[in-house]
Amino acid sequence: MSLNNASTRLSLLALALMAVLPFVLPKFLVLQLGVALSFAIAILGLNLLLGFAGQVCLAQGAFFACGAYTTAILVTRLGVDPLLTLPLAAAVTACMGIAIGLPALRLGGLQLAIVTFGLAVITPQLILKFDGLTHGVTGISFEPPRPPGWLPVGADTWLYLIGLIAMAVCVLVMRRLLAGDTGRALRALRDDPLIARSLGVNLTRVRLSAFAVSSAFAGLGGGVYALLNAYVSPQSFLAGRSIEILIGAIVGGITSIAGAFLGALFVVFVPEWTADFSPALGGIIYGACLIAMMVTARDGLAGLCLRALSALKSWRSRTRSRRPPLTSGPAPSNLTQETKS
Amino acid sequence: MQLLIQQILDGLAAGAIYGALALALVLIYRATRIVNFGQGEMATFCAYTAWQLVQWGWPLWLALVATAVLAFVLGVVVFRVVVRPVSGAAVETIVVVMLGLFLLFQALCLWLWGSDQQAFPNVFGSAAWSAHGVQLSAATLGTLATISAVALALGALLRFSRLGLALRAAASDRDKSLLVGIRVETMLMLGWGLAAMVGFIAAALVAPRLFLSPLMMAPVLVYALAAATLGGWDSAIGAVVGGLLIGVVESVGATFLTFIGAELRLLIPLSVTLLVLLVRPAGLLGRQVVVRV
C-alpha cells in the first residue's frame, strides 16, 4: 500500500479531515458522528459479507448487540479497561459469527435471509431472557473512558477519536483482505460458487472467514457504540437495528468502502431530518427514499458519486478537446497515424 | 390432558393466522420469486382501513368487502410501482426494497392512526362453548373455517381453472408463456392482488385477538416465514398446513417447555425454520428442486 497510490492518498486525506472535525463542530454533532462511525464499522462488515462474499445476512444488528453487551459486561463486571474491551468484543462476536456461519454454509440466498431475519427479531428477547448477565430491561450503564492526561481534548472528542481509530483499523484490514488472493476468492464465491470450487477455492473456509471478519467488525462497532453512549439496553438492539445496518450498506454502495461512511451518515441523519417535518412522516419518507434509491441507483450513493465524477471527467475532456491546441505542435491526427503504422 | 387439548386448539387457531399470511407470502413467491417482507404491514394497513370504515358508520360486512377490493388494488399498485422496476435485480436489492415496503407501510399506519391499540370488531361474535374443560370459541372455529375455505378456493383456482393455469405458467417460465400468448404482466399483477387480499384476510382475523396496532403483524411475519418454509415455498396447501403445525408446536412447546417461557416464543419458529432448511429444504409439501450443474 504505497503512498503513490491515489486512493491511498485520498483515504489519508479523508482520515486527516475527519480527525480535525471534532474541533470545529458543536459537541452534539461530534457525538452523532461518533455513532455514525460505529455504524460505519458494522456496515463495513456487512459490505464484506454481502457485497464481496455474497451472503445475505440480516443479523448484523445481533452481532452489533453482542459486541456492545460484551463491552458493557466486561467493563462493569470484570473491570476491564474500556479500550481493551474493544478487541475482546470483536473476538467474542467473531466466535458468534462462526457459530452462525456453520449452518449458513448449507443455506442459499433467500433462506439465509429468512433465518438471519429471525435471529435479528429474537435478539432483544434473548437479551431480556439472560437478564442475570444483561440486567434485562434496565440495561447496563458505566463510566465512559476518560481522555489520557497528555491529550488536551474533551471527553466527547476522545470518544469520537476512539471510533475514528477503530474505523481506520477496519478500513486497513478490509483493504488488505480485498487485495490479492483473499479478495479474488471472495469475489469468486459471490459470483459463482460452483466455478470457484472447481478452481480450488475452499468455500467452507472462505465463507466462515467472511462471517468471522464481518461479525468481528460488527462487534467492534457495537463496542464503540457502547462506549459512546456509556449505556446499553435491549431497546437499542431491536430488529430495526439490523435493518438499519443493511439499509446503510445498500444505500451507501454494497461494494464500496467509502460507501460504508455514506450509508452510516444516511442512517444516522436522514431519519432525524425527516422527523423534523413530522414525527411519523419521518418513517414514511425514510421508507420511500429507500425504495426510490433502490429503483433508481443500484450502486448506492457511492456509485452515484462515482458516476457523477466520471461524467464530470468526460465532460471536461470533451470541452478540452474542443478548444484549439495551445502549442504549435503537431495536430492530434498525426499521432493516430503514427500509432496505426 | 385437558391442557394439552386446549393448547392444541389454541395452537390451531393461531396457526390458521400464520398459515393465512404464509399463503400470501407463498402466492407472491410463486408468482414473482420474491419474499415480500412487507406483506404483514400491507395487511395491517388494510385492516386499519376496514376499521376506519366501521368507525365512520359502515356495516361490518360492507367494510370488509370494500377493503378486500382495496387490498387487491393495493397489491396491484405495489407490484406496478415498486416490484416491476427491480424485478431483474440482485437478491439483496429486492430484499431491501421489500424491507422498504415494510418500513413504509408501518410508518403510514403510525402516521394516519397513531400508535395506540384499537379494538377491532369480532367478525364471528363472541360465543364460546366448553366441553370437558376444553374451551372452543366461535372466533377459533370461524378462523379455521375461513382459512380452510380460502386455501381450498385458491388451490382449486390454481389447479382446475384456465386462469390458474395461466398464473402458474406465468410464474414458472415468463418467456415461454409470452410465446404461448399468456399476458404475463397481467398474471403477475393478479398474483400480487390475490396475495394482498389473502394477507388482509389474515390481518382481519388476527386483529380482534391481538388488538389493532401498527406493529401487530410484525411478529406474525416471523411465524409466517417459518410456516412457508415448513410447508414448502411452492405449495399453497403446504403454507396452511405448515402454519397449523407451527401454531400447534409453538403453543404446546411454550406451555410444556418451561425454559422457553414467554420471551423466547420466537425461538420455536426460528428453530423449526433452521431445522427444515438443513434437513429438507423443499419443505414438507414442496417440490424438490433439481438443478443441473
Side-chain angles (χ1 to χ4, degrees):
Chain A
M1 216 182 56
S2 66
L3 279 172
N4 293 332
N5 192 348
S7 94
T8 315
R9 276 182 291 179
L10 205 62
S11 317
L12 287 174
L13 185 66
L15 186 64
L17 262 173
M18 285 198 285
V20 170
L21 275 178
F23 302 105
V24 298
L25 291 174
K27 243 195 215 172
F28 67 91
L29 210 56
V30 170
L31 218 51
Q32 275 192 314
L33 280 175
V35 170
L37 279 176
S38 71
F39 283 150
I41 299 175
I43 292 175
L44 204 59
L46 191 57
N47 277 4
L48 178 68
L49 193 56
L50 180 54
F52 289 104
Q55 309 291 304
V56 186
C57 174
L58 299 180
Q60 202 72 349
F63 299 136
F64 195 73
C66 177
Y69 265 92
T70 308
T71 297
I73 292 172
L74 285 176
V75 166
T76 49
R77 291 226 172 187
L78 299 178
V80 180
D81 175 52
L83 288 182
L84 200 58
T85 60
L86 289 178
L88 288 173
V92 168
T93 318
C95 296
M96 184 180 160
I98 295 181
I100 305 293
L102 279 171
L105 288 172
R106 291 202 46 178
L107 301 175
L110 275 174
Q111 297 167 332
L112 186 61
I114 292 174
V115 170
T116 49
F117 182 71
L119 183 65
V121 170
I122 207 178
T123 298
Q125 261 82 315
L126 281 172
I127 297 175
L128 286 174
K129 183 71 181 177
F130 294 108
D131 55 2
L133 204 59
T134 63
H135 295 192
V137 161
T138 44
I140 306 176
S141 68
F142 52 90
E143 275 290 317
R146 307 229 129 261
W150 50 268
L151 200 59
V153 297
D156 291 334
T157 312
W158 175 235
L159 292 171
Y160 171 87
L161 288 174
I162 294 176
L164 190 62
I165 295 171
M167 181 77 206
V169 165
C170 289
V171 171
L172 214 69
V173 170
M174 184 90 165
R175 291 182 70 149
R176 291 300 297 270
L177 275 176
L178 291 178
D181 273 350
T182 0
R184 280 193 287 268
L186 279 171
R187 288 187 195 85
L189 168 62
R190 175 195 63 193
D191 292 336
D192 199 325
L194 212 57
I195 293 182
R197 231 190 309 174
S198 68
L199 288 174
V201 174
N202 187 339
L203 280 196
T204 311
R205 206 165 56 170
V206 173
R207 252 192 206 155
L208 282 180
S209 324
F211 265 100
V213 173
S214 159
S215 46
F217 278 16
L220 184 62
V224 171
Y225 182 82
L227 290 181
L228 278 166
N229 288 320
Y231 173 66
V232 290
S233 86
Q235 283 305 107
S236 324
F237 304 113
L238 303 175
R241 186 64 72 201
S242 293
I243 298 182
E244 256 184 345
I245 296 178
L246 176 71
I247 288 172
I250 302 270
V251 166
I254 196 72
T255 53
S256 152
I257 293 181
F261 288 98
L262 296 174
L265 289 173
F266 180 86
V267 161
V268 168
F269 288 107
V270 165
E272 219 183 87
W273 293 337
T274 53
D276 285 341
F277 290 117
S278 141
L281 196 60
I284 298 177
I285 297 178
Y286 197 37
C289 261
L290 195 66
I291 297 177
M293 189 103 229
M294 279 305 101
V295 169
T296 54
R298 303 267 178 85
D299 304 329
L301 287 171
L304 275 178
C305 289
L306 281 175
R307 267 189 275 165
L309 275 174
S310 68
L312 192 68
K313 250 190 242 177
S314 67
W315 177 77
R316 282 178 69 187
S317 67
R318 260 186 285 137
T319 47
R320 211 175 271 151
S321 65
R322 273 194 240 123
R323 283 200 306 255
L326 296 169
T327 62
S328 52
S333 52
N334 281 4
L335 283 167
T336 49
Q337 278 187 344
E338 280 178 32
T339 49
K340 272 187 198 155
S341 61
Chain B
M1 193 56 195
Q2 277 171 4
L3 186 60
L4 183 64
I5 297 184
Q6 183 70 59
Q7 293 301 327
I8 291 179
L9 279 176
D10 291 340
L12 282 176
I17 311 289
Y18 307 151
L21 191 59
L23 190 58
L25 288 173
V26 163
L27 274 176
I28 289 195
Y29 185 79
R30 283 187 73 165
T32 46
R33 284 276 174 271
I34 291 175
V35 174
N36 185 3
F37 286 96
Q39 194 71 38
E41 307 309 305
M42 282 167 61
T44 310
F45 177 76
C46 296
Y48 260 110
T49 313
W51 175 82
Q52 186 66 73
L53 289 176
V54 170
Q55 294 300 108
W56 284 338
W58 291 38
L60 182 61
W61 68 270
L62 188 61
L64 288 176
V65 168
T67 314
V69 174
L70 173 73
F72 187 89
V73 171
L74 185 67
V76 171
V77 166
V78 165
F79 172 74
R80 290 294 303 263
V81 172
V82 170
V83 176
R84 227 180 25 173
V86 294
S87 53
V91 172
E92 55 264 11
T93 308
I94 296 180
V95 168
V96 168
V97 171
M98 295 302 118
L99 287 174
L101 280 177
F102 177 93
L103 293 173
L104 185 66
F105 278 101
Q106 200 176 73
L108 206 58
C109 292
L110 199 60
W111 180 51
L112 290 172
W113 290 287
S115 59
D116 294 332
Q117 285 181 336
Q118 311 286 359
F120 195 83
N122 201 331
V123 179
F124 301 108
S126 36
W129 305 279
S130 81
H132 303 293
V134 174
Q135 266 219 337
L136 185 63
S137 66
T140 307
L141 267 183
T143 306
L144 283 168
T146 315
I147 300 300
S148 318
V150 168
L152 285 172
L154 272 174
L157 173 76
L158 284 174
R159 276 208 61 172
F160 300 120
S161 72
R162 281 193 72 112
L163 183 65
L165 189 61
L167 274 167
R168 278 188 291 148
S172 113
D173 198 326
R174 270 183 213 202
D175 298 326
K176 298 199 183 93
S177 307
L178 281 171
L179 288 174
V180 174
I182 293 174
R183 299 226 288 266
V184 169
E185 290 301 320
T186 314
M187 292 301 120
L188 295 180
M189 284 196 305
L190 202 61
W192 269 76
L194 279 174
M197 227 163 58
V198 173
F200 161 65
I201 293 176
L205 287 172
V206 81
R209 259 173 28 130
L210 294 184
F211 291 102
L212 196 59
S213 87
L215 302 173
M216 180 179 75
M217 289 293 257
V220 182
L221 182 67
V222 178
Y223 288 103
L225 288 171
T229 309
L230 178 60
W233 276 96
D234 51 4
S235 162
I237 301 290
V240 179
V241 168
L244 292 172
L245 276 173
I246 295 251
V248 171
V249 167
E250 183 228 356
S251 183
V252 171
T255 313
F256 292 103
L257 293 173
T258 43
F259 71 87
I260 293 184
E263 295 108 350
L264 291 185
R265 287 187 86 107
L266 284 171
L267 195 62
I268 295 178
L270 187 61
S271 334
V272 169
T273 311
L274 196 57
L275 201 65
V276 169
L277 285 175
L278 290 178
V279 170
R280 195 191 147 93
L284 288 175
L285 298 176
R287 256 172 328 147
Q288 293 273 20
V289 174
V290 177
V291 174
R292 171 177 264 181
V293 166

